[in-house]
Structures are given as structure tokens and as C-alpha cells.
Amino acid sequence: MAIDVKPLRNILELERRRGYPNRAVIGGVDKFLHYWSAQAIESVINPRLQARFRRLKLINSHYASLTPSQREQWAGEVLGFLIELESPNSVKEISSQPPAVPKSTPTPKPLSAVTGSLDSPITVVKGISLNLAARFNKLGVSTIRDLLYFFPHRHLDYSQKKSISQLEEGEEETIIANIWQAREVRLGGRRSTEAIVGDETGNVRIVWFNNPYLVKRLTVNTRVVISGRVSQFNNRYVFESPEWELVSDEDLIHTGRLVPVYSLTRGLHPRQVRKLIKGVIDQWMGQVADFLPQEVKNRCHLLGLDEAIGQAHYPDDESLKAEARRRLAFDELFLLQLGVLDKKRHWQQSQPGRPFEVKSVVLDTFVGSLPFKLTSAQQQVLGELLADLQKSLPMSRLLQGEVGSGKTVLATASLLMAAANGYQGALMAPTEILAEQHFRTIRQLLSRIGQEKKDTDYLYSYTDILSRPFTVALLIGNVNLKRKQKLRQQLQDGGVALVIGTHALIQQGVEFHRLGLAVIDEQHRFGVVQRSALRQKGFNPHILAMTATPIPRTLALTLYGDLDLSVIDELPPGRQVIKTRWLKPEQRRSAYAFVRKQVAEGHQAFIICPLVEESAAIQAKAAVTEYEYLSREVFPDLKLGLLHGRMSSVEKDRVMRHFHAGELDILVSTSVVEVGIDVPNATVMMVESADRFGLSQLHQFRGRVGRGKDQSYCMLLAEKPSEIASQRLDIIERVQDGFQLAEEDLKLRGPGEFFGTRQSGLPDLRMAKLSDVAILELARREAIRLFEVDPTLEKPEHQLLTRELARVWPAGNSELS
């Protein structure tokens, strides 16, 4: 039969389309030709063609060393030669047996017909039963596409082959050897397999514990590839339960290459998963459509999608592994950016906004009443907010600022502008205690410019600010049903100008008369669904999101790409540096003594309980235990209070009022004090198990003190911190700047722990890390560029991208759905 030249022709045609990058086949053109030409030359019987075969250097090709123009010329000559080779007189039949040479990468071959699509269940894959599919489902894998994107979390480097005489104890090594002997033995009372293998430099013993069935597979005189850690027993080297493959196997999967290591669950085994995924890559890769526009790939120097997926699982080398990750990470961040930018466009353009007129008299009176002068950073941000409020496009802005930077003051000024224009305002906080503090703070600010009249504990009104009374209400879960119903009715009738609350604000039955501005505090604590529900309370209200958690700019642009960004990067004058110390366990008594000394000088202290579990019930129990111990054993003569998340709002408010009034010396608390609690007389923050918290959270704890004029201190206790935790504690001792700490936190912990992206309603990131600043900025730039030329992605060349975008951003995942 005629020699099969199709694989080589396909490779060279693909090289031509891509500009001759030597990436059309895994391992490169030279590697493919090494095996293909060894068979082909034996089949060419025409002497003239044999001579030309050698003249083209198909046997010992040096394609990798050629320039792109030289590759183009050489490929053209070879393609012409292949036409001649297909002549019936040029070749004889080629043996169907593959050469007995190990191959670390697959040889291109025609894809066999497959049933189903990328969205078919994995049970269409040969070898995956319903039982096995259920195990994959636990790992989030249910379709063929999921399997292709089920990337390994690392690779074992078995690519460097050695002779037996070169083996070193303790190293991960790979050898190719002949099996001299294989037998079943009992090791540790269990049936096992033992083999002796050898090459021209020596022999080595191999054992596979608790696996007697291998004996039947390891035939004497068969060549085998072994990869694993070398150990020593009785002064001789031995491989213990290494990976193995017969050299005659078509492609190396488990040995002799960079071998993927996948996440597993009970009932899934490494060899089994590798073999299944390799089969899926070979069979279904042809169905993967590359949705990235060609100009984006060219401009950003990105691999093709099929090659990237293949190299992510089974890379030829570390360089291509990195290139594959870069392409796949770019995809995720690019699609994420397109999604959030589309949300912003839809939010601002689907319905007209409500432009406010800046009422200068009201604004100047409010700003002039403040007990401090606005800093330049505060003035700049206020200007940005007012500029947004005057536009017909609804404001969509994220305001970042450290604790005490003045965010609440600027939000109050904006809410006053809403009321001055006849609209209602809403401020939503993640916890009742924080909502209550906002209620108190805003009441204090308003009482400086208006006459306060108390209706109930949850409803106050102010005269002399606007032409009509300015009414402020607190709506939280703890308000009794009768009062709650009354507040809801007043909201619906327009009798309340500003409502402050928690998630209760987005419950059914809460309707606004004319919502014009919604302020969401601690933005990252709300999911997409909650933010969407609040937006839908108004026709198309302005949105201001605030956070005291410093977020690196790139991370903010990614998670909140639909929001414009304002940063108060300047603390008010006089804010002190809080002296921070990481203490060892043996310094605990000294820490207690220091707390006692500060209390004796008339100050107060916080003690944060150990972080036990992410369970409010267990946290509360731990807090009670710590409180009782400190009250009985350490500070029996001092007045201690207790605060935890399981207490009712009334109880928490009572404790905080006592602490704020100086009636308590020490407040023992869980992490509920992380944000929002302001006690100027507190000068000591002592954090137990500080190694269990992230840098940003520790910085928030530290921000609870230093709010007054006296020097304040933060003491961090850690019993046995890990290496990463020790780095965190060392950093927070030295660094006071919250944004610098946030950058460090992101590097140390990654985005999931840093921000809880799973709760954000964003697509999952499998390959990208939000610390990939360069890729992130590149993806955002390209997304903005694409929207500028095709805002609705309607051009024919963007149809694949539109479909992919709809797949990763399903309708229910949109803030605007």
C-alpha cells in the first residue's frame, strides 16, 4: 500500500497557517520526522526518490534551527515531494508495527469517529461507567468538556532518562531497561510483585507492594520504562512502586515525560485517570473550537486552544507547559473581563439613569459642619462621586479606603444629594452590628446640621436640612414585626428618605417609593444575587459600593470590572502608627501584663478569640470558653464583655454600648469585630491564633484601635505558625499600609482565600491566578479594545467568542438577570 503521508502533510500545512512556529505537533517537527522517516525510507523503492529523501534531510532534520523563511522554503519542497511519494511505484508496504523506541509525545493520527459532543456526559467515553462517572462528578467533572479542562495541579518530571549506573538515591529518576525476571513475592505479609530489570550498565530491583497482578504484564525480555523515586535497601538501589510502561505502548503516559498529577477522590486512581484523559484528548480534541479571534492570538503571542489544552495535560517541556498555562489563563481572564464589562454596558445603557443636581447650599453646609477638613484625597473622591451623580448614566463605582479614611462621610454627602433631589437612598451592610454603627454615625453627622427628632429606636427625622424633614430608618432582622411593617409602608409611601439595613433590605415585601442611590458597604461580602436584588428595587439607581478591605487594583478591576474605581489613599492627619508585635507562646504572660497596664492607665482592650472553625456555633462556643477562662484565671478583677456572631442584635448592641461607654475594660470577641466597630479609647488589640488569619483580616483587627489620640498597640500570638503564616506575621509587624499588605496577602494566599471568589458569582478560574498581573492587564486591555470595535460582538468573526461567553456567563449568573 502507499505510504501514509497525510500526517506529515497536515503538520506542514498547519505550520504554514501559523507562520512556521514549530508548534503544529507536540514535540516539534523534528521529533515527529524522527519516527515517521524511519518507517518511510524503508518503504521507498525508487532510487531517485530515495536520494531526494536524503537530500531533503527528512531523516536527520534540523527544522528547529531554521529561520521562518528557511522553514517556508523547506516545507514547500517537502510538500511537493510528498505528492511524488504517494505514487504506487514509489513505496512498498510498511509494517503496521510501531518502532520499538519510546515516544514521549503522541504521533499525529487521524481522529477516530466519536459519538456525542463536548457537552455529552462522560459516560460516552469508553471505560467510564455510571459508577466511575459519579466519582468524577464529585470533582466537578460531568461532561467531555469538563474532562478536557480538568487540568493537573502539577507534573512529575520523569523526562530526564538515565542509565542504571547513573541512578542516585532519593531522586526521581527514569530508566529504560529489559525485564530479566518478574515474580510474585510476599512483602510485609502482602502479595506483591518483584522484578529485576537491566540495561548495558547494570541491573536494579523493583517492587510493587500489594500488587501481585503485575507479574502477568511484565514479560521477560520486554523493554520497559520505569519512573519513580530511588531508595536503598541492603546497600542496593531499589525502585518502590514506581510508575511503569512497556516501550511498545503507543504513547508514554505515566513515565519518561512530564507526567500529570490530577486531583483524585475515593475510587479514582492516578494511572486510570491519566489514561482516560489521554484518550479523551486524542478523541475529542478535534471538536474544540478556538474562540479567540486570530488577531488577538497574534497580538498576544498565544498558542492555539487545542495545542494549549494538550500541552497543559501532557507538556513536551516546562517551556510549553508555561505557554499553555498562559493561553488558558488568558482565556479565563479575557472572558471574565468581557462579562463584567458587558454587565456595566448593559446596566448603564439599557435604561436611562437619573441625573442629580448638586445642591451646593446643602453640600457646603454639610461639609462645613464636619469636625475636620476634608483631605485632598477625600475631596478628589467626592468630586468623582458628584460628577457621576450628575450624569444620565447611572453611577457604578467602587470606593476603597482604609478604616477611618472617611468613606461614610462621603457616602452621607452623596445620600444627602439624593434626598435633595427628591429621591430615596439605601445603605446596605453585611452585618447587623455594622448596619447599626452606620445608623449611629450618620445620625451624628446629620445632627450637626439639623434638629434631631426621635420617633422610635429605629426611626429619626431631621429638620432644617432640606425643605422637608429628612427621615432616617434602620431596617434589620431584629426589628419586631409590627415596627417592620410600619417602616416598610413608610418606605413605599416615600416617608423615609434614607434606610440603613442588612439583607433585610432586599427581602420580598420591601418596596421603595423612588430609590435613587444605593450604597453597599463591604462590597465583597455580597454575592451577585444580592447586589442585583437591591438594584431592582429602583428604576435604575446610582450604585456606590464601598470596602475597607484594601484590594490590589488589578484584583479590584477583575472582580469588579463593572465598577469604576475610586481610592482614598490618604488617611486623615494625626492618624498614628499602631505598634505591632508578633509574640511567641512564652510571651503570653507578658502580653496579659501589658493589657492590665493599659487598663490601669484608663484605656480598654480587645482580645480576639482563636479561629476554630468557619461555623458560627463553634466560634461562639470557643468565645464563651475563652471569656470564662480570662474572667476567672487571668483578669478576675477587671470587667470583661463578650461578643460573638450568635448573639442577638439587642445583646450585641448592649455589649458594644457598655464597651463604648467605658463600662467594660476588655472585650473578648470573635472576628465579628473585623469591621465597623469604633471605640476611640481602645488602645490594645490582642489576637489569639494570629497565624490562622490572613494579612488583610489582621490589618482590619488592627484598625479597631488607634482611633483616639493615645498610642495604640497590636499583639499577635501564634503557637506554631507554618512557614507561610510566619511570613504573614513578619510582614504585618513591619508594614502599616493596607494596600501593600493586600498585595502581599494575594501573593501568599491566592485569590480564593483572599476574597472568596466562589461567592462572587464570577466564573471559576481553573488555570488563572489573580496574582497573574501581566496576563490580567493584557486580558483587560484586549477586552476593552474588542468592545470598542464590536460592543455587541455581532461580527461574524466573533460568533464563536459570543457562544463561549454565553457558556461561561450563563443568564442566571448575571447581575442584571
Side-chain angles (χ1 to χ4, degrees):
M1 68 176 187
I3 185 172
D4 184 9
V5 302
K6 186 178 178 183
L8 181 55
R9 179 187 290 115
N10 288 346
I11 288 167
L12 294 179
E13 289 288 353
L14 187 55
E15 277 289 297
R16 180 179 58 77
R17 289 197 299 273
R18 292 182 176 179
Y20 302 97
N22 196 23
R23 287 178 177 169
V25 61
I26 295 174
V29 173
D30 291 327
K31 198 166 196 175
F32 170 78
L33 281 172
H34 177 72
Y35 302 118
W36 182 87
S37 61
Q39 298 179 69
I41 188 65
E42 295 176 7
S43 307
V44 179
I45 55 176
N46 185 310
R48 182 182 62 80
L49 290 177
Q50 283 182 348
R52 193 170 174 204
F53 196 107
R54 291 186 173 88
R55 195 163 58 250
L56 286 169
K57 297 184 178 178
L58 289 170
I59 297 176
N60 297 307
S61 63
H62 299 289
Y63 186 83
S65 64
L66 301 178
T67 65
S69 60
Q70 289 172 328
R71 291 174 184 175
E72 181 180 9
Q73 181 181 349
W74 178 85
E77 293 178 16
V78 173
L79 286 168
F81 177 60
L82 295 183
I83 295 172
E84 294 185 65
L85 272 187
E86 287 182 299
S87 164
N89 298 324
S90 64
V91 296
K92 64 184 180 182
E93 187 170 320
I94 300 176
S95 166
S96 61
Q97 292 296 318
V101 181
K103 296 182 290 181
S104 63
T105 55
T107 302
K109 53 182 177 287
L111 292 172
S112 57
V114 296
T115 56
S117 69
L118 296 181
D119 296 315
S120 297
I122 55 176
T123 47
V124 304
V125 177
K126 184 179 179 182
I128 298 186
S129 62
L130 286 170
N131 189 29
L132 197 58
R135 291 167 182 161
F136 272 111
N137 291 165
K138 290 179 182 177
L139 298 171
V141 176
S142 56
T143 67
I144 298 297
R145 189 190 309 276
D146 292 338
L147 267 178
L148 288 174
Y149 279 84
F150 183 57
F151 297 119
H153 56 84
R154 65 189 178 99
H155 286 83
L156 298 172
D157 189 354
Y158 291 154
S159 61
Q160 304 303 312
K161 303 177 188 67
K162 286 189 176 180
S163 62
I164 290 175
S165 65
Q166 294 173 316
L167 295 178
E168 296 180 39
E169 183 184 0
E171 297 297 319
E172 299 281 355
E173 307 277 31
T174 294
I175 60 170
I176 300 172
N178 292 311
I179 300 171
W180 300 137
Q181 180 186 53
R183 63 190 182 117
E184 183 180 325
V185 293
R186 295 193 75 83
L187 298 172
R190 294 184 175 186
R191 295 170 62 202
S192 304
T193 293
E194 177 187 72
I196 304 297
V197 303
D199 62 13
E200 60 274 14
T201 69
N203 298 330
V204 68
R205 176 172 172 254
I206 305 173
V207 293
W208 285 274
F209 298 106
N210 199 28
N211 193 348
Y213 313 106
L214 276 184
V215 173
K216 296 176 183 177
R217 300 284 309 277
L218 302 176
T219 310
V220 173
N221 289 328
T222 304
R223 283 176 66 74
V224 68
V225 185
I226 301 292
S227 292
R229 187 175 294 277
V230 178
S231 55
Q232 205 171 74
F233 182 73
N234 288 339
N235 293 320
R236 292 190 175 184
Y237 288 147
V238 61
F239 282 96
E240 295 183 353
S241 299
E243 294 291 351
W244 66 277
E245 282 177 281
L246 299 177
V247 168
S248 58
D249 283 353
E250 192 173 66
D251 296 320
L252 293 181
I253 301 175
H254 314 290
T255 61
R257 59 169 309 117
L258 288 171
V259 175
V261 179
Y262 295 97
S263 298
L264 301 173
T265 188
R266 184 184 293 275
L268 289 179
H269 307 288
R271 290 178 71 89
Q272 170 193 39
V273 172
R274 284 196 290 264
K275 188 173 180 182
L276 285 170
I277 289 180
K278 179 64 171 58
V280 168
I281 290 170
D282 288 346
Q283 275 200 296
W284 269 273
M285 190 64 78
Q287 290 195 26
V288 175
D290 197 335
F291 53 83
L292 269 192
Q294 189 62 46
E295 66 270 17
V296 174
K297 284 189 288 186
N298 293 343
R299 201 160 45 236
C300 301
H301 307 291
L302 298 169
L303 293 183
L305 183 56
D306 54 350
E307 184 180 7
I309 291 174
Q311 290 291 335
H313 288 281
Y314 288 95
D316 288 351
D317 52 43
E318 290 289 349
S319 171
L320 275 169
K321 175 184 168 182
E323 282 295 305
R325 195 189 84 80
R326 182 172 177 271
R327 161 65 204 259
L328 295 164
F330 178 90
D331 284 358
E332 292 174 348
L333 295 171
F334 182 62
L335 291 167
L336 191 153
Q337 287 297 308
L338 287 175
V340 293
L341 290 171
D342 183 58
K343 283 195 298 177
K344 180 177 181 179
R345 181 185 63 83
H346 182 72
W347 163 243
Q348 292 191 325
Q349 296 179 8
S350 60
Q351 302 176 66
R354 294 163 166 170
F356 294 171
E357 181 186 339
V358 174
K359 306 291 185 180
S360 301
V361 175
V362 177
L363 184 65
D364 294 344
T365 302
F366 174 71
V367 173
S369 74
L370 298 172
F372 53 83
K373 185 182 177 184
L374 292 183
T375 65
S376 58
Q378 290 168 339
Q379 288 173 350
Q380 180 180 331
V381 170
L382 180 58
E384 292 169 351
L385 297 181
L386 295 174
D388 279 359
L389 293 173
Q390 293 176 78
K391 295 176 183 175
S392 57
L393 289 177
M395 174 166 70
S396 193
R397 186 168 289 276
L398 173 64
L399 172 55
Q400 285 185 257
E402 295 235 34
V403 171
S405 62
K407 296 186 303 298
T408 306
V409 167
L410 301 185
T412 305
S414 301
L415 291 162
L416 267 174
M417 287 302 97
N421 281 266
Y423 291 99
Q424 293 171 295
L427 193 160
M428 188 161 73
T431 64
E432 291 192 352
I433 199 165
L434 190 50
E436 290 164 349
Q437 178 155 307
H438 278 308
F439 186 56
R440 284 193 299 269
T441 302
I442 289 175
R443 277 173 38 213
Q444 289 166 6
L445 291 169
L446 293 174
S447 65
R448 301 177 75 92
I449 58 171
Q451 294 295 317
E452 183 179 80
K453 179 187 174 185
K454 178 179 178 181
D455 186 337
T456 68
D457 288 342
Y458 302 98
L459 189 66
Y460 286 73
S461 62
Y462 299 84
T463 55
D464 303 333
I465 297 177
L466 303 174
S467 58
R468 59 196 172 281
F470 184 88
T471 308
V472 183
L474 177 67
L475 183 58
I476 54 177
N478 237 34
V479 179
N480 69 49
L481 186 59
K482 188 175 180 181
R483 285 183 176 176
K484 201 176 286 183
Q485 287 172 339
K486 184 181 177 183
L487 284 177
R488 285 176 175 174
Q489 190 60 51
Q490 288 174 294
L491 261 179
Q492 194 168 352
D493 296 341
V496 171
L498 169 60
V499 62
I500 299 166
T502 59
H503 296 93
L505 289 184
I506 59 172
Q507 290 171 350
Q508 288 185 344
V510 179
E511 300 297 335
F512 289 83
H513 176 67
R514 205 177 182 211
L515 179 60
L517 171 62
V519 179
I520 307 172
D521 195 27
E522 287 309 316
Q523 159 84 353
H524 65 280
R525 294 175 177 236
F526 289 100
V528 165
V529 174
Q530 290 97 332
R531 296 204 300 271
S532 175
L534 186 62
R535 278 179 166 171
Q536 290 168 7
K537 295 292 179 183
F539 173 60
N540 206 15
H542 296 285
I543 292 284
L544 173 62
M546 306 193 301
T547 181
T549 303
I551 312 166
R553 182 175 179 81
T554 50
L555 184 56
L557 288 173
T558 302
L559 297 179
Y560 301 119
D562 55 332
L563 303 175
D564 296 310
L565 193 59
S566 287
V567 181
I568 305 176
D569 54 6
E570 175 187 6
L571 285 174
R575 282 301 297 273
Q576 58 180 273
V577 171
I578 298 160
K579 293 183 178 178
T580 306
R581 294 290 178 270
W582 164 23
L583 304 178
K584 306 300 185 288
E586 58 270 20
Q587 295 174 287
R588 178 180 299 279
R589 295 176 72 87
S590 299
Y592 288 148
F594 184 78
V595 170
R596 182 179 291 281
K597 178 173 176 288
Q598 286 289 303
V599 171
E601 292 176 5
H603 303 305
Q604 293 163 280
F606 290 95
I607 296 180
I608 305 299
C609 296
L611 182 66
V612 182
E613 293 269 348
E614 290 299 326
S615 155
I618 296 174
Q619 280 284 65
K621 187 177 178 183
V624 171
T625 303
E626 181 79 357
Y627 167 73
E628 289 174 347
Y629 168 75
L630 292 171
S631 300
R632 187 177 60 250
E633 304 292 337
V634 184
F635 304 112
D637 53 327
L638 301 182
K639 297 187 286 294
L640 275 67
L642 174 63
L643 192 70
H644 60 73
R646 301 282 281 186
M647 295 164 66
S648 72
S649 177
V650 173
E651 289 176 296
K652 284 186 281 192
D653 189 51
R654 179 177 52 79
V655 171
M656 281 311 304
R657 270 190 279 107
H658 286 321
F659 191 53
H660 195 274
E663 296 167 15
L664 297 172
D665 301 312
I666 299 170
L667 182 63
V668 179
S669 174
T670 59
S671 57
V672 294
V673 302
E674 179 189 345
V675 291
I677 297 171
D678 187 1
V679 183
N681 192 47
T683 58
V684 181
M685 170 59 69
M686 179 173 162
V687 184
E688 293 278 3
S689 300
D691 53 314
R692 307 285 292 277
F693 297 100
L695 276 174
S696 292
Q697 200 170 17
L698 290 172
H699 183 60
Q700 294 299 313
F701 291 146
R702 180 166 64 184
R704 296 301 103 223
V705 297
R707 309 300 296 272
K709 63 183 187 305
D710 298 301
Q711 177 63 56
S712 294
Y713 308 87
C714 180
M715 299 184 293
L716 308 169
L717 282 93
E719 293 287 336
K720 294 178 181 177
S722 65
E723 185 180 346
I724 292 288
S726 296
Q727 288 180 46
R728 281 203 296 267
L729 294 169
D730 181 56
I731 289 167
I732 199 160
E733 260 197 321
R734 296 181 287 103
V735 179
Q736 295 275 327
D737 181 80
F739 288 97
Q740 188 181 340
L741 285 171
E743 295 281 2
E744 296 292 340
D745 208 12
L746 190 58
K747 289 178 196 168
L748 290 174
R749 295 203 295 161
E753 287 180 81
F754 178 88
F755 221 56
T757 50
R758 244 180 229 127
Q759 303 304 316
S760 68
L762 298 170
D764 286 337
L765 300 180
R766 300 167 191 257
M767 201 54 101
K769 302 170 188 165
L770 292 177
S771 49
D772 291 333
V773 175
I775 303 177
L776 200 156
E777 290 179 340
L778 180 66
R780 184 168 176 82
R781 263 198 319 272
E782 289 294 334
I784 291 170
R785 187 172 187 163
L786 186 65
F787 266 128
E788 285 173 352
V789 298
D790 188 10
T792 54
L793 300 183
E794 291 178 341
K795 291 186 176 181
E797 62 267 32
H798 297 150
Q799 291 314 294
L800 286 175
L801 179 58
T802 303
R803 284 205 290 273
E804 184 67 10
L805 199 57
R807 193 184 65 77
V808 300
W809 282 95
N813 205 22
S814 169
E815 275 198 20
L816 305 167
S817 62

